[in-house]
Amino acid sequence: MQVLEQLENKVVDAFDQLGIKFTPSSQRLRDLIRQIRSARTAAEERAVINKECAQIRDSFRAEDNTWRCRNVAKLLYIYMLGYPAHFGRLECLKLIASNRYTDKRIGYLGAMLLLDEKQDVHLLVTQSLKNDLLNSNQYIAGLALCTLGSILSIEMSRDLAVDVEKLIKNSNPYLKKKAILCAIRIIRKVPELMEIYVPSVRNLLNEKNHGVLLGAIGLITEMCIRSPDILTHFRKLVPNLVRILKNLIMSGYSPDHDVSGISDPFLQVRIIRLLRVLGKNDQESSESMNDILAQVCTNTETTKNAGNSILHETVLTIMDIKSEPALRVLAVNILGRFLLNQDKNIRYVALNTLLRVIHADLSSIQRHRGTIVECLKDPDVSIKRRAMELCFALINRKNVVEMIDELCSFLQTCEPEFKADCSSNMFIAMEKYAPNKKWHVDQMIKILKSAGNNSRDDIVSSFISLISNTPELHLYTMHQLVDMIRDDVTQQPLVQVAAWCIGEYGEQFQSSDYEGQKVDEEEIANLLIKILNYNAGLISTRQYAINALVKLTNRYPVLTEHVQSIMSVYGCNMNLDLQQRAVEYHTVLKKYDNLKDGLYEQMQPFELKQNYIDDVEEDIYEGKNEEEILHEKEKQKEEATKALLIIFGEDSTETTPSKNEVAPKLDPLEDIFGNPPTTNPSNSNILDSIFSSNEQVAPQTSNNILDIFDSSNNQSSSKPSQSGLDDILGMNSTTVVNKSDKASNNDIMDIFGNLQTKPIQNGHGESLNGQKPSMNVYEKNEVKITFEPCANGNGSTPTQHFIQLKAENLSFSNVVRNFIFSAAAPTSMKLQLSQPDKTNLQPFENMSQTIAIANPNKDKLRLRIKLSYKLNDVPIEEPVFVVNIPFFE
């Protein structure tokens, strides 16, 4: 080797003496790879690469065309090893401009690796791409299509979209399939260019080449997803797609397309996926594909992954379109068979798919509950988590006892990372479906013991709320808790609940026995002191204990001196909170004995969540399909909207009957609340104080609860009744009508004050023709908020706006709690929010709230919005943001 190097140096010197520049031959790529792999250390590798890069730079500067292709190839290899290679970009463009295929191949490869749309250099290759797309050599045109699909930008897409469309019409299948794939990339980058490809795509479904057909179906799917108009246009092709799919299923063995005994599973999956897009929310298209989907389900082999992939896509399609109930049951049964498969990947896919489709057919999935519960025992962590989430989604009032027992067994043996989620979700399910309070309390104690210190704080507070609202179980609960912590105070959440109960209801130990057991005050105090002195205990647990101790002095006065001594000790505690509590409690006990009764009295029961108050309510969605569930939700939404129309100012008014006239018939809503009929309703409105109404009103003469909304139709003839909300919305004008003109029918709408049936209108009183415009306001953390224009009873005016807020929980398993929506309008407007129909959102649930806005100056409507909620008990507070409302412009 040394002899060769010496010889090369002598040759170079000789040429230099003659004035001739000598360029030694470039090292081959394989030699460079061998040299890099033989390096023993990273430093040696860097030395080899730096030396080679220096030689490549020299070659580029010398404009050496002989070895340019080889040098760029070596540079690309160096780039793939992670070293910089930016200095070779322009050399790639020179190779692309070459007429040799070998040079173009390396040049286009370098462009795909080294260039992207963020660099202006890539625009220089546009003309070369345009020329090569029209090249007669199919391989050169194919290189140009591949490169265009990799590095295209918006400008490049607009310049070359027509050339790609011409290649789609080419008779060469090789170019046609590459052009179709490039068109998909162009549509994703510039969606408005899709109209160029619509005429040429329709004929592609008649192609015999599976590669072209596969690309064409992908292109149609992309266009249908991005454009509703094109989706409607291509729904006419459903019979053609069904015919193609049927031919694939019924065709015999084809060596070119056979995969594990199945004819082209890739094409089958693409067709089924396109059918799902075309059949969604369309009854006619869904009916035309029901038979072929059933045929796929029954004729596809499940012994190989190719067949399983087709069945999985078929199940998703059946659940997403308007399919027949029997077909949905068949799809769920396929997923049930997947759960019995030995392959863990297939079981995971089955559980994941069941979570996605559970809203479509819950009753069919319930039949496989036993198999799903068995998956909780799987050693694979991912399968175990999906099975746990699915189990919580399956819980209802009928199976809550069985499911909670199974989940309690799982909670005792599962990994610590599962315990927090499992215990929280179990408590949520029991709050909603518990058959009785005693069972609920027993299970909660069992859960807290099993979860141990992995329980979240919300379980403690929720359990305390449950106990406070079940006075008949106070003694039973306290004995159970005391027995649990008497010998073990390491379970901090359980200890916190026990300490709170002792502090609030400790006197019941003295007043009664429980199963022959009686706990005296000394044992109670010693137990709390034990909790307080437990060094490994949480600060929050000690806070519970110190509060309970001081409250016991009000129940057991004999403990006062003992508690004072304890407080004096903790008055010097290193923890500031405990020190402050102890000092203040000690001061109250020593100097302000007269304040003890008020300070240490028993707390009032906590308010239970509205979602869980009614323990006997049936699960209205159990056993119903997706259409019935949507119908029920729409019906509830309509009823809520009708009620809100009255709250936000029904404009129907009547004259007040004279003394000689008979009093009007008692309004049905008034009769519900037991109020007598009246002919002189009060002008006072509780909302006046909210908006600082300055009008003088007469003394209130009626206790009608509806008066707070001013919904009475009987008004004084001398001065109309005005509510604060009506005043800000400009609805305080009174229309006097004759008594003979009164509506006298028995329509159910009469209970809302002669509400006339009118089509839904937008903020300007224009009909929406059944299609409400909507806008996305917020979509983050699987929470989505949309605004829709909402009509009031008689239509809106340009100065009155009504907006329907809809918040949705898009998660499969996460729970949104304490959802609070706040809004503010400019000072020239006034804004009022209705009460939301709920504040806690289970998976796939939604809530609605109406926003009323008075806009007397007809200004452009802008709202400042603030959101706060808890996602799986993690507080989330979004910063204030501004939203422009375009509905009323």
Side-chain angles (χ1 to χ4, degrees):
M1 181 65 69
Q2 293 178 354
V3 174
L4 291 175
E5 289 180 356
Q6 292 175 1
L7 180 61
E8 183 179 357
N9 293 333
K10 290 180 179 179
V11 171
V12 172
D13 294 338
F15 272 91
D16 289 341
Q17 291 175 1
L18 296 174
I20 302 174
K21 184 173 178 59
F22 175 78
T23 304
S25 61
S26 176
Q27 182 180 207
R28 292 183 301 177
L29 176 60
R30 68 178 65 181
D31 295 332
L32 175 63
I33 294 174
R34 188 181 297 112
Q35 192 174 0
I36 291 175
R37 289 180 177 176
S38 64
R40 296 182 180 180
T41 62
E44 189 176 346
E45 177 185 300
R46 286 194 298 271
V48 171
I49 290 176
N50 290 336
K51 180 181 178 181
E52 187 65 32
C53 287
Q55 293 178 357
I56 292 174
R57 284 193 181 93
D58 292 340
S59 177
F60 287 163
R61 281 194 291 268
E63 294 293 331
D64 182 14
N65 296 329
T66 307
W67 309 112
R68 178 179 287 133
C69 181
R70 178 183 292 183
N71 288 332
V72 171
K74 290 189 292 183
L75 192 61
L76 294 180
Y77 176 74
I78 292 171
Y79 173 75
M80 288 188 289
L81 292 178
Y83 295 91
H86 56 277
F87 57 88
R89 291 169 184 166
L90 292 178
E91 301 301 318
C92 293
L93 300 183
K94 293 177 182 178
L95 288 177
I96 290 173
S98 172
N99 293 325
R100 297 172 56 189
Y101 174 74
T102 53
D103 289 348
K104 283 184 178 291
R105 183 178 59 178
I106 297 298
Y108 277 127
L109 177 61
M112 286 187 279
L113 289 175
L114 302 179
L115 301 181
D116 56 43
E117 62 175 313
K118 296 179 182 179
Q119 300 160 0
D120 295 336
V121 180
H122 86 285
L123 295 175
L124 300 176
V125 79
T126 303
Q127 188 59 43
S128 297
L129 286 171
K130 188 176 183 67
N131 296 334
D132 288 340
L133 287 175
L134 303 177
N135 198 297
S136 58
N137 188 327
Q138 65 174 357
Y139 300 109
I140 292 178
L143 285 174
L145 286 170
C146 291
T147 306
L148 177 60
S150 298
I151 66 172
L152 62 85
S153 60
I154 295 177
E155 296 81 4
M156 194 179 289
S157 300
R158 297 185 189 278
D159 293 338
L160 302 177
V162 177
D163 298 300
V164 173
E165 192 266 341
K166 291 178 182 178
L167 289 176
I168 292 178
K169 297 178 181 179
N170 195 295
S171 59
N172 188 340
Y174 176 81
L175 290 178
K176 188 177 291 188
K177 63 185 180 182
K178 287 183 178 292
I180 292 170
L181 295 176
C182 188
I184 294 175
R185 293 292 186 94
I186 291 174
I187 289 173
R188 289 175 181 172
K189 184 66 68 173
V190 189
E192 58 265 25
L193 294 177
M194 69 177 68
E195 296 180 0
I196 298 176
Y197 304 104
V198 172
S200 57
V201 167
R202 189 181 183 95
N203 297 326
L204 293 176
L205 293 180
N206 298 323
E207 288 283 339
K208 300 300 182 182
N209 186 286
H210 282 212
V212 175
L213 196 56
L214 191 66
I217 291 174
L219 180 58
I220 295 173
T221 304
E222 192 71 28
M223 289 192 291
C224 290
I225 291 173
R226 294 180 180 274
S227 172
D229 295 334
I230 293 180
L231 173 63
T232 305
H233 172 76
F234 280 116
R235 275 180 176 148
K236 302 173 186 177
L237 301 179
V238 170
N240 296 349
L241 294 170
V242 170
R243 174 178 51 81
I244 296 171
L245 184 58
K246 188 174 183 180
N247 291 337
L248 285 172
I249 297 172
M250 303 304 295
S251 64
Y253 174 75
S254 174
D256 293 336
H257 310 113
D258 184 83
V259 178
S260 301
I262 297 175
S263 178
D264 203 342
F266 302 100
L267 183 57
Q268 289 191 44
V269 167
R270 282 293 184 91
I271 293 174
I272 294 170
R273 187 176 301 167
L274 178 56
L275 289 175
R276 179 165 82 248
V277 175
L278 296 175
K280 188 173 184 179
N281 299 326
D282 186 76
Q283 186 66 40
E284 183 179 355
S285 300
S286 299
E287 289 177 356
S288 61
M289 63 182 74
N290 277 336
D291 292 339
I292 189 63
L293 292 176
Q295 196 171 353
V296 172
C297 290
T298 53
N299 293 344
T300 304
E301 292 289 336
T302 59
T303 55
K304 301 292 184 180
N305 276 343
N308 290 331
S309 63
I310 295 173
L311 289 175
H312 174 252
E313 199 67 38
T314 305
V315 168
L316 292 178
T317 300
I318 291 172
M319 290 302 186
D320 220 19
I321 67 173
K322 295 182 179 296
S323 56
E324 298 174 354
L327 200 56
R328 290 175 179 264
V329 173
L330 179 60
V332 173
N333 290 340
I334 290 174
L335 295 177
R337 292 203 305 270
F338 282 0
L339 290 176
L340 300 175
N341 199 297
Q342 297 298 320
D343 191 336
K344 293 182 179 181
N345 294 322
I346 295 177
R347 291 207 302 274
Y348 179 82
V349 168
L351 291 169
N352 223 14
T353 308
L354 285 171
L355 271 173
R356 290 179 59 182
V357 304
I358 193 169
H359 65 281
D361 198 346
L362 180 59
S363 57
S364 299
I365 299 176
Q366 288 282 5
R367 300 191 187 103
H368 302 276
R369 191 174 68 238
T371 309
I372 295 169
V373 170
E374 284 298 317
C375 291
L376 291 173
K377 303 174 184 177
D378 196 285
D380 190 277
V381 175
S382 57
I383 292 177
K384 196 180 298 185
R385 180 170 293 279
R386 283 290 176 264
M388 182 185 72
E389 293 172 355
L390 187 55
C391 284
F392 288 119
L394 292 175
I395 295 177
N396 57 26
R397 201 171 301 282
K398 297 177 183 178
N399 61 23
V400 61
V401 176
E402 300 174 9
M403 293 297 293
I404 293 298
D405 287 342
E406 294 288 351
L407 289 167
C408 281
S409 301
F410 168 73
L411 186 62
Q412 294 173 359
T413 58
C414 68
E415 291 82 356
E417 59 264 24
F418 287 101
K419 291 183 181 292
D421 289 336
C422 185
S423 56
S424 295
N425 289 325
M426 286 173 72
F427 186 71
I428 291 171
M430 288 190 294
E431 277 186 322
K432 196 170 185 179
Y433 302 118
N436 56 71
K437 298 292 185 182
K438 186 175 183 299
W439 178 87
H440 193 176
V441 169
D442 288 339
Q443 295 302 318
M444 276 309 306
I445 295 175
K446 186 177 179 181
I447 290 171
L448 283 176
K449 184 177 180 181
S450 300
N453 294 328
N454 294 295
S455 301
R456 295 195 179 110
D457 293 338
D458 66 306
I459 295 186
V460 174
S461 59
S462 300
F463 190 22
I464 288 174
S465 177
L466 171 66
I467 295 171
S468 69
N469 283 274
T470 54
E472 67 277 7
L473 296 176
H474 284 170
L475 184 62
Y476 169 78
T477 305
M478 285 193 297
H479 274 281
Q480 295 293 323
L481 292 171
V482 169
D483 289 342
M484 288 284 183
I485 68 170
R486 182 177 279 115
D487 299 322
D488 182 15
V489 294
T490 59
Q491 308 289 343
Q492 295 295 288
L494 194 65
V495 171
Q496 291 173 7
V497 176
W500 185 88
C501 291
I502 292 172
E504 294 298 321
Y505 314 117
E507 72 279 359
Q508 296 191 21
F509 285 126
Q510 187 180 27
S511 59
S512 57
D513 295 345
Y514 175 76
E515 296 182 354
Q517 300 179 10
K518 189 172 183 179
V519 182
D520 57 18
E521 63 273 14
E522 185 177 353
E523 183 179 355
I524 297 173
N526 290 335
L527 183 59
L528 291 175
I529 294 171
K530 180 180 178 181
I531 296 171
L532 199 56
N533 293 333
Y534 179 57
N535 293 328
L538 301 174
I539 296 298
S540 57
T541 305
R542 295 186 181 187
Q543 292 168 352
Y544 277 100
I546 203 169
N547 288 347
L549 265 176
V550 77
K551 280 200 167 190
L552 282 181
T553 60
N554 212 24
R555 281 67 163 167
Y556 300 101
V558 69
L559 296 175
T560 302
E561 293 184 3
H562 189 29
V563 172
Q564 281 183 355
S565 62
I566 295 173
M567 296 302 155
S568 62
V569 172
Y570 273 86
C572 302
N573 194 277
M574 294 297 293
N575 183 270
L576 187 60
D577 185 274
L578 292 178
Q579 181 188 119
Q580 182 177 355
R581 289 173 187 263
V583 170
E584 292 175 355
Y585 290 155
H586 184 270
T587 303
V588 171
L589 291 175
K590 190 172 182 180
K591 299 181 179 180
Y592 303 99
D593 190 64
N594 58 325
L595 298 178
K596 284 199 308 180
D597 293 340
L599 290 176
Y600 305 147
E601 66 180 356
Q602 190 178 108
M603 295 178 66
Q604 295 296 321
F606 296 103
E607 182 180 356
L608 286 176
K609 300 179 181 66
Q610 188 66 28
N611 291 354
Y612 311 127
I613 289 179
D614 190 3
D615 288 334
V616 298
E617 180 186 4
E618 299 257 338
D619 189 357
I620 61 174
Y621 300 138
E622 176 68 19
K624 295 186 178 181
N625 59 28
E626 186 178 10
E627 292 183 12
E628 293 172 336
I629 293 174
L630 291 174
H631 178 72
E632 290 285 345
K633 291 184 176 181
E634 287 296 326
K635 185 177 178 181
Q636 293 175 5
K637 183 178 178 181
E638 290 177 4
E639 292 175 355
T641 304
K642 289 176 182 178
L644 286 170
L645 297 182
I646 309 305
I647 295 176
F648 289 140
E650 172 55 32
D651 208 15
S652 177
T653 55
E654 299 175 356
T655 57
T656 304
S658 63
K659 294 180 180 179
N660 297 329
E661 290 177 342
V662 180
K665 186 178 178 180
L666 185 63
D667 187 84
L669 280 181
E670 294 174 353
D671 184 58
I672 292 173
F673 293 105
N675 292 320
T678 177
T679 59
N680 187 22
S682 168
N683 294 335
S684 177
N685 192 310
I686 195 170
L687 293 178
D688 291 343
S689 60
I690 299 176
F691 299 107
S692 302
S693 177
N694 296 325
E695 297 184 18
Q696 299 296 326
V697 296
Q700 184 170 341
T701 60
S702 171
N703 293 325
N704 187 353
I705 193 169
L706 296 180
D707 283 347
I708 66 172
F709 299 121
D710 196 21
S711 58
S712 175
N713 288 333
N714 300 325
Q715 299 184 356
S716 172
S717 58
S718 61
K719 184 177 179 62
S721 173
Q722 295 181 354
S723 70
L725 186 58
D726 290 347
D727 182 51
I728 72 163
L729 298 179
M731 292 184 286
N732 54 0
S733 59
T734 305
T735 304
V736 180
V737 296
N738 295 327
K739 181 181 177 183
S740 59
D741 294 332
K742 283 195 225 175
S744 58
N745 55 28
N746 292 323
D747 195 295
I748 191 170
M749 299 304 290
D750 284 346
I751 70 173
F752 295 117
N754 265 348
L755 182 64
Q756 300 299 320
T757 304
K758 291 191 176 184
I760 296 295
Q761 298 174 338
N762 66 10
H764 292 159
E766 299 172 356
S767 177
L768 298 174
N769 298 325
Q771 295 184 353
K772 282 190 176 182
S774 64
M775 61 178 290
N776 287 343
V777 177
Y778 175 85
E779 188 167 0
K780 188 178 177 183
N781 301 324
E782 298 179 320
V783 176
K784 181 180 179 181
I785 299 176
T786 57
F787 279 177
E788 293 178 358
C790 175
N792 74 340
N794 293 321
S796 300
T797 69
T799 61
Q800 303 170 9
H801 308 314
F802 296 86
I803 300 172
Q804 186 80 18
L805 176 148
K806 182 180 179 183
E808 300 176 85
N809 181 4
L810 305 178
S811 170
F812 291 112
S813 58
N814 297 333
V815 179
V816 177
R817 308 183 73 175
N818 300 338
F819 180 86
I820 299 176
F821 172 87
S822 305
T827 54
S828 61
M829 308 176 193
K830 289 190 178 180
L831 178 145
Q832 173 73 14
L833 292 175
S834 71
Q835 288 293 330
D837 54 3
K838 62 181 72 173
T839 58
N840 296 331
L841 300 177
Q842 299 296 321
F844 297 107
E845 276 192 348
N846 59 69
M847 59 81 70
S848 59
Q849 192 172 3
T850 301
I851 308 170
I853 304 170
N855 187 10
N857 298 332
K858 302 179 184 179
D859 294 334
K860 186 176 180 180
L861 185 56
R862 299 169 69 244
L863 296 181
R864 296 184 65 195
I865 293 174
K866 183 178 180 181
L867 300 174
S868 65
Y869 54 89
K870 288 185 177 181
L871 186 65
N872 275 350
D873 302 311
V874 178
I876 296 176
E877 186 167 341
E878 296 293 346
V880 177
F881 58 96
V882 178
V883 176
N884 295 317
I885 311 296
F887 304 137
F888 310 105
E889 296 179 357

